[in-house]
Amino acid sequence: MAIFCGDRSSKAAITAVSDFKKECLIDGGSLFTSESVWTPDCVKELVVYFVENLDEGEGDFFSKLKVQLAEASPQAKILASEMMWFMLLCPSNIGAETSRKNIKQVLEFSGQKFSEISTDIYDKYLNSDVLSGIGSAGTAYNTGRWRELCYFINITKKLLSLPQKERITLLDDYQEFSLWLEQVPENEQRQLRHMLLYLFYPEFHERIFGNTDRKAILIQCTDITSAQFNKMKTREADQRLYKLRQKFEKEFETNELDYYDVAPLRRLWKGDINKPLITEPKGDYTVMTKTRELSAPNLNQILYGPPGTGKTYSTIIKALEIIAPQFLAENHTNRTALKAHFDSLLKANRISFVTFHQSFSYEDFVEGIKASTGESNQVSYDVEDGIFKAICDRASSSVGGVVAADSFDKAVKQLQEKCEEADKRIEMKTVRGRAFEIEFSGGATFKVFPRSTESTDPKYVASIANVRKLYLSGSKDGIYNSSYVEGFLLYLKQHLGVKDPESNAVKSSAKEQPFVLIIDEINRGNIANIFGELITLIEPSKRAGGEETITVKLPYSKTPFSVPSNLFLIGTMNTADKSLAQVDIALRRRFEFIEMMTDYDVLEDIPDIDGINIRRLVETINKRIELLYDREHTIGHSFFLSLKDQPEIKKLTSIFELQILPLLEEYFFEDWERVGQVLGDQLKSDNNLRFIIEKFESSEISKLMGDEWELTGIQPYIRNNAALTDPLAYIGIYEPIN
C-alpha cells in the first residue's frame, strides 16, 4: 500500500481527511466551527471574489487574499481557511508551525479567533502529527499557490452541485473520482490533484506530487520514454504507477515500499537513499573529501562528483602525485609543465587512459580473441591483450629505474614481425638444449610448441611480460613455463642483439616503479562484465606479493595472472549519470572515494561581467537544484572557467545556451517549468528577463483550438533568446530586479 512513508507517517493526516470528507464534502459542515460553510453559496462567493478576481499585482499571497475576500461573508472566509488547511496537509517543506500560522491568518479574516478553536478540534486537525507533511511539494506549489486554490475551489463547486447520494458514491470510488476530476480546469497540471487522490485513496495513489518525479520514476523503472509520458493523460500515469507498485510488492514480498525514503525503490529511480551507503562505508569502501591529506596514495581511488567539477582534470595531479611526486612539488603552480610531464609518461606507457562506456567489455579490458586475415585471406583468431592486462604486464616487469628497456622492446617487435613473415614457426632452445618452436598469437603472448608433442593446440605460452621480468630482474620466481621463457630470452640475446641490463643484482632488490591506469567515467560501464573475476585481484592484500595473493588462469590465453602491487587505479565518476549508491557494490568496497564538488573559490577570479557576479550566480543555481533535485546534479565550476580569459556577456551567453540549459533540460526530463525555477524565472516580474517562457498565450490557444479546448500534459515552453543576452536576466537569478 502507498500509505507507507518510511520514517514519516501519513496516518494522522489520512484519518483527519476521512473526517473532512464526511463533515465537509458530504454533510456541508465545517471542521473548525459549528457553521455550515461547505455549501454551494459559500463556494460561489470564493469563485466571485477570488477565482474571477485574481490579483496579479505586488504583495504576498495572504495579503492579496485578504483584500480579495474583503467583501465575502464570514462563512466563505472560514471555507477558505479550511481549504488552506487541506492544501497544507501534504507539503513537508513548510512545517507544522508555519502551516498553523497560515491557517490562523486566513481563519481570522472572518472575525473568528484561532484561539477560540476547541481543544478537541485542535487535537484532531491542527496538531503537529497532522500538519507535519508527508512529501515535498516543490517550489512551484508555493509560488503558484493561487493556481492550486483556484483548482480546489473549482473542484468543490462541481462536487457540491451534485446531490448528496451521488457525492457519497463518487467519493467511494477511486477510478470514478479520478475520471470525474478531468472535468475540472487545469486538472492535468495541478499538484493538488495528486495530494487529494493520495489523501483520499492512499491504497491506490502514490505520495508523488510533482510531475517531474512521476515522470522520472516511470522512465527509469519502465520502458516509457520522455515523449510518451508528455503525451500521456495524468490518469494513465496513475494507473502505470499503481501497476508498478503491484509488481514491486510482489517482487520484494512486502507492501512497505516507498519511492522516497526507503530502499530499494528510491535507488531504482533516484540512486541514493539518504546517503546511508555513502556515509556508512565500514568494511566496504572509504569516502573522503578532497581536503584530506593522504600519507600515501591509495592503490584504488575514484574521484566522484557532479559534471564540471574537474575530476578528469584532477587525474593529472593524482597520477603525478603517484609517479613523480618530486616533480609535482617543484612545479605545482606550472600547469603547462605538469601536463607536458604527464604526456611524456603517457607516451612512455607509465600511464594509460581508458574511458568506460555501455559496450565496453572484458575482452576490451583484460583479453579477448581477435580475428585477423593473412596474406592467403585465411582467417585466424588470436588472443589480444586488453588495456588492463597490458599495463599489468608492464608494471610486473618493471624494476628499479628501468622500465621496459627500449632495446628489449625493439627486439620483441622484430621477433613479432619475423614470426608473421616466416613460412614456418621459429625454433628456439631451452638453456638445457631442448628444442621448441614459437608462434606469435597476438598481443604480448607467444604460443610454445615443444618438439616432444605433436599437438596443434599447445597448452604452453610464453608471456612477453614474464620474459621482460626475467630480463630485468634475473629471477624466475613466479614465472609460468620458466624454461621456455628463459629459452625465449636466450634467443633474443643470441639472435636479436639484446644485451644484459646493467647491475641486475642491484635492480632485483630495487623498488618497483609505479604505473597508473586512469579509468574515466568508470560508473558508465558494466563493472561485473568488464572486470569479471579480476575484481577481487585489485584488492591490496590480493595483489602480487600481498598477504593473500591470488593468481587466476585467464580464460582465453590460459596464462596465470595476478595484479601487480605497483599499479594504481584512478577512476572518475559523474554522479549525474549514476549516483555512488548505484555503483556495483563489488567496486565500491574495493575503492577509496574522493568527493569533488563545485569549487566556488575558483570562480572568485572571474571579474564581474556587466554587473553579473559569477560565483553568486552558480551558488544560487546549485542551491535551487539541491531543493528541486539533489546535490549530485549540481553544476560544476569548470563550465565557467573560460570566462577568466574572456569575461564577456557573449561568452556567458554561449555557455548557458550550449551547456547549462541542455544539461538542466536533461536533469529535469524536459520539464522546462522546473528549469525556469532553477534559473529564478518565477521570481522575475518582467517576462522579458525569464529564460524560459510559455510558448502559447491564452489568446493564441483559443484562436488555434477554440475556447472549449483544455490543454493536457505539460504546458509547452520555449527558450527566451533575448534573455540570454541581457545581463539583468542573469543578475535576476540570484537577486531581485526592480
Side-chain angles (χ1 to χ4, degrees):
M1 291 174 62
I3 194 171
F4 181 72
C5 302
D7 293 336
R8 293 186 179 277
S9 175
S10 60
K11 291 182 180 179
I14 290 170
T15 300
V17 167
S18 179
D19 291 347
F20 162 78
K21 286 168 68 175
K22 174 70 172 60
E23 296 287 337
C24 302
L25 299 183
I26 293 175
D27 293 341
S30 167
L31 281 186
F32 303 154
T33 71
S34 58
E35 304 271 355
S36 293
V37 301
W38 287 82
T39 65
D41 289 341
C42 288
V43 174
K44 185 177 180 180
E45 288 189 68
L46 295 185
V47 172
V48 172
Y49 293 117
F50 184 79
V51 177
E52 296 177 353
N53 186 37
L54 294 176
D55 183 356
E56 298 182 5
E58 297 295 324
D60 66 88
F61 171 80
F62 292 102
S63 61
K64 289 192 288 186
L65 180 64
K66 184 176 182 180
V67 173
Q68 289 167 300
L69 299 183
E71 297 182 17
S73 68
Q75 289 79 11
K77 293 172 182 175
I78 293 171
L79 172 59
S81 73
E82 294 184 2
M83 286 185 168
M84 188 56 55
W85 168 83
F86 187 92
M87 291 172 61
L88 292 170
L89 290 176
C90 286
S92 57
N93 49 340
I94 295 178
E97 192 59 42
T98 301
S99 295
R100 271 192 294 270
K101 180 181 176 183
N102 291 341
I103 296 164
K104 174 179 181 290
Q105 193 172 354
V106 180
L107 178 66
E108 293 187 346
F109 292 166
S110 69
Q112 170 83 34
K113 294 293 184 181
F114 189 78
S115 58
E116 294 175 358
I117 292 177
S118 70
T119 303
D120 182 54
I121 295 297
Y122 187 96
D123 290 344
K124 271 189 176 183
Y125 308 124
L126 295 165
N127 68 74
S128 295
D129 287 342
V130 173
L131 294 176
S132 61
I134 55 178
S136 176
T139 306
Y141 186 76
N142 295 325
T143 58
R145 188 175 291 172
W146 63 272
R147 293 189 181 94
E148 304 291 342
L149 181 55
C150 284
Y151 172 69
F152 199 5
I153 292 170
N154 285 328
I155 289 175
T156 308
K157 176 185 174 183
K158 282 185 175 292
L159 188 63
L160 295 183
S161 68
L162 300 175
Q164 188 182 58
K165 285 186 178 180
E166 286 188 31
R167 270 181 272 156
I168 293 172
T169 302
L170 181 63
L171 289 169
D172 280 344
D173 191 321
Y174 168 66
Q175 294 291 351
E176 285 299 317
F177 185 71
S178 178
L179 180 63
W180 178 84
L181 281 176
E182 293 182 359
Q183 304 173 45
V184 183
E186 296 195 350
N187 180 65
E188 298 288 311
Q189 289 82 43
R190 300 280 62 87
Q191 292 188 54
L192 185 63
R193 172 198 183 272
H194 307 309
M195 296 178 186
L196 188 149
L197 287 174
Y198 175 77
L199 291 169
F200 282 8
Y201 316 101
E203 65 271 31
F204 297 109
H205 203 85
E206 299 291 344
R207 66 174 186 120
I208 310 170
F209 310 132
N211 210 39
T212 299
D213 286 355
R214 288 160 59 85
K215 182 176 183 177
I217 288 168
L218 287 177
I219 288 174
Q220 294 293 337
C221 300
T222 71
D223 57 358
I224 291 173
T225 65
S226 176
Q228 288 172 331
F229 182 91
N230 290 344
K231 296 176 182 177
M232 191 182 295
K233 296 280 286 185
T234 306
R235 187 161 49 88
E236 184 184 348
D238 296 341
Q239 293 167 352
R240 289 179 180 268
L241 285 166
Y242 180 63
K243 288 180 180 177
L244 192 60
R245 168 167 288 278
Q246 289 179 309
K247 170 181 173 290
F248 286 142
E249 287 181 352
K250 183 177 180 181
E251 179 180 341
F252 297 111
E253 298 181 347
T254 179
N255 58 14
E256 293 190 348
L257 296 170
D258 180 70
Y259 285 103
Y260 288 100
D261 294 332
V262 183
L265 298 194
R266 181 178 174 110
R267 291 195 192 110
L268 293 177
W269 74 279
K270 202 171 179 65
D272 65 326
I273 177 65
N274 296 333
K275 305 176 192 174
L277 291 177
I278 299 175
T279 57
E280 299 176 11
K282 298 174 183 177
D284 287 334
Y285 63 99
T286 304
V287 177
M288 301 177 56
T289 64
K290 62 182 178 180
T291 57
R292 173 178 162 184
E293 293 294 331
L294 295 175
S295 57
N298 192 285
L299 281 172
N300 308 319
Q301 52 187 308
I302 289 177
L303 313 181
Y304 75 98
T309 53
K311 297 177 291 297
T312 305
Y313 179 89
S314 297
T315 57
I316 294 177
I317 303 301
K318 286 288 179 185
L320 293 177
E321 183 182 282
I322 293 165
I323 296 179
Q326 185 174 347
F327 183 88
L328 176 62
E330 294 171 354
N331 298 274
H332 66 278
T333 60
N334 189 340
R335 181 69 187 181
T336 303
L338 295 178
K339 182 62 167 65
H341 195 60
F342 176 86
D343 290 341
S344 68
L345 291 169
L346 202 64
K347 189 175 181 180
N349 292 318
R350 293 286 300 282
I351 299 173
S352 291
F353 188 96
V354 64
T355 300
F356 279 4
H357 50 80
Q358 289 87 343
S359 59
F360 200 78
S361 67
Y362 179 91
E363 287 72 19
D364 299 315
F365 193 58
V366 184
E367 67 171 15
I369 295 176
K370 180 182 179 182
S372 59
T373 305
E375 293 182 1
S376 60
N377 292 326
Q378 188 172 356
V379 178
S380 62
Y381 297 91
D382 301 316
V383 176
E384 185 171 287
D385 290 346
I387 190 166
F388 180 63
K389 184 172 183 294
I391 195 168
C392 282
D393 287 346
R394 296 187 74 82
S396 296
S397 60
S398 164
V399 183
V402 180
V403 180
D406 289 341
S407 63
F408 178 87
D409 287 346
K410 288 177 182 177
V412 171
K413 188 174 182 181
Q414 290 174 9
L415 180 61
Q416 291 172 348
E417 293 172 352
K418 189 174 181 180
C419 286
E420 290 171 347
E421 294 171 358
D423 295 329
K424 57 182 181 180
R425 300 184 188 120
I426 293 176
E427 183 179 292
M428 296 180 176
K429 290 183 179 180
T430 66
V431 174
R432 296 183 178 182
R434 287 187 296 174
F436 65 95
E437 296 175 345
I438 59 113
E439 180 182 290
F440 181 49
S441 61
T445 305
F446 288 78
K447 291 180 181 179
V448 174
F449 297 83
R451 280 284 177 86
S452 58
T453 179
E454 296 179 358
S455 172
T456 58
D457 184 22
K459 303 295 182 183
Y460 304 103
V461 292
S463 165
I464 294 301
N466 282 334
V467 179
R468 184 187 288 112
K469 184 175 182 179
L470 178 62
Y471 166 68
L472 294 173
S473 68
S475 171
K476 293 189 285 185
D477 291 344
I479 292 180
Y480 183 69
N481 289 337
S482 59
S483 59
Y484 298 118
V485 168
E486 193 174 18
F488 198 111
L489 179 58
L490 185 63
Y491 181 91
L492 294 179
K493 290 178 179 179
Q494 292 176 346
H495 299 276
L496 294 173
V498 173
K499 297 179 181 179
D500 287 330
E502 297 179 2
S503 188
N504 262 345
V506 175
K507 291 188 177 70
S508 63
S509 62
K511 184 180 178 181
E512 293 177 323
Q513 296 298 294
F515 283 69
V516 173
L517 173 61
I518 298 171
I519 306 174
D520 202 26
E521 305 283 4
I522 192 169
N523 57 320
R524 292 187 65 224
N526 186 322
I527 300 302
N529 287 345
I530 294 172
F531 276 88
E533 74 279 12
L534 305 188
I535 190 70
T536 301
L537 274 62
I538 68 174
E539 293 181 36
S541 63
K542 307 294 193 304
R543 294 194 181 205
E547 297 174 358
E548 305 167 11
T549 300
I550 293 178
T551 300
V552 300
K553 183 175 286 189
L554 296 177
Y556 294 104
S557 64
K558 307 301 180 185
T559 58
F561 178 82
S562 61
V563 177
S565 58
N566 59 328
L567 174 63
F568 292 77
L569 302 179
I570 302 175
T572 70
M573 180 181 139
N574 189 335
T575 54
D577 292 332
K578 183 187 288 185
S579 78
L580 185 57
Q582 286 179 297
V583 174
D584 189 294
I585 193 168
L587 185 74
R588 283 193 277 112
R589 62 184 294 269
R590 291 174 172 88
F591 276 80
E592 176 183 81
F593 284 77
I594 302 171
E595 184 182 64
M596 300 194 68
M597 299 301 289
T598 305
D599 187 349
Y600 298 110
D601 292 339
V602 172
L603 301 177
E604 290 284 2
D605 297 334
I606 302 174
D608 284 2
I609 302 170
D610 293 345
I612 305 167
N613 185 290
I614 301 301
R615 173 173 181 154
R616 290 183 64 192
L617 180 144
V618 178
E619 276 188 306
T620 304
I621 286 175
N622 283 343
K623 287 177 181 178
R624 291 198 181 110
I625 291 175
E626 285 194 53
L627 288 172
L628 291 168
Y629 204 159
D630 57 36
R631 70 195 298 268
E632 293 179 340
H633 289 76
T634 47
I635 304 293
H637 54 270
S638 64
F639 287 104
F640 301 90
L641 293 182
S642 58
L643 292 170
K644 286 185 179 181
D645 300 324
Q646 193 179 346
E648 302 171 359
I649 188 68
K650 180 180 178 182
K651 183 64 177 176
L652 182 60
T653 298
S654 175
I655 292 169
F656 261 75
E657 182 178 12
L658 303 179
Q659 298 180 68
I660 304 303
L661 286 179
L663 190 61
L664 293 176
E665 177 184 1
E666 180 184 337
Y667 283 175
F668 293 102
F669 297 95
E670 301 176 20
D671 186 343
W672 284 101
E673 186 175 5
R674 288 289 184 99
V675 174
Q677 290 170 3
V678 168
L679 301 174
D681 284 353
Q682 74 278 12
L683 304 177
K684 299 173 183 175
S685 56
D686 187 348
N687 202 53
N688 295 321
L689 298 181
R690 296 177 179 175
F691 292 96
I692 309 300
I693 56 176
E694 294 183 357
K695 186 172 184 179
F696 301 108
E697 295 182 356
S698 299
S699 58
E700 187 177 2
I701 292 176
S702 298
K703 185 177 179 181
L704 289 169
M705 307 301 296
D707 293 335
E708 300 300 319
W709 186 81
E710 292 182 8
L711 177 67
T712 60
I714 296 176
Q715 163 71 32
Y717 286 84
I718 57 172
R719 294 183 187 179
N720 180 12
N721 292 326
L724 286 168
T725 59
D726 191 333
L728 287 177
Y730 295 97
I731 295 172
I733 290 175
Y734 58 86
E735 69 179 30
I737 300 295
N738 296 324

